[in-house]
């Protein structure tokens, strides 16, 4: 294995460029990233309710639809 020594200024430049690219990507993709994160959080929060409805012998699709409807009504009611 070849051991390559990278000078400090090259490491600092790579880290700076990488940090800039990460921040730029997060800012540019904000319109896509935020809804995906929100949807993931809501799916995790609704999973116990859907599981409860499925255990009560309600179809899974109906359970998911019912939980989304209840969440929508709750969100509209909060406004």
């Amino acid at each position: 294995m070849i051991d390559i020594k990278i000078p400090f200024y090259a490491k600092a430049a790579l880290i700076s460029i990488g940090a800039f690219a990460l921040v730029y990507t997060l800012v540019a993709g904000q319109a896509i990233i935020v809804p995906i994160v929100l949807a993931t959080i809501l799916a995790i929060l609704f999973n116990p309710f859907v599981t409860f409805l499925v255990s009560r012998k309600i179809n899974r699709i109906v359970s998911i639809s019912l939980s989304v409807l209840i969440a929508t009504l709750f969100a509209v009611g909060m406004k």
Side-chain angles (χ1 to χ4, degrees):
M1 180 174 199
I2 300 173
D3 191 21
I4 300 174
K5 301 283 185 186
I6 299 175
F8 174 75
Y9 62 86
K11 288 181 186 178
L14 286 173
I15 290 172
S16 298
I17 292 170
F20 177 76
L22 176 66
V23 170
Y24 180 76
T25 303
L26 289 175
V27 170
Q30 186 176 8
I32 296 171
I33 294 170
V34 171
I36 290 174
V37 169
L38 183 62
T40 303
I41 292 170
L42 289 176
I44 291 169
L45 288 174
F46 291 143
N47 191 31
F49 183 64
V50 171
T51 305
F52 172 75
L53 291 176
V54 168
S55 70
R56 299 284 185 201
K57 305 288 191 245
I58 297 176
N59 189 358
R60 188 162 190 83
I61 295 173
V62 174
S63 300
I64 293 170
S65 300
L66 185 62
S67 67
V68 169
L69 178 67
I70 289 172
T72 304
L73 291 175
F74 182 74
V76 168
M78 293 289 287
K79 186 177 180 185

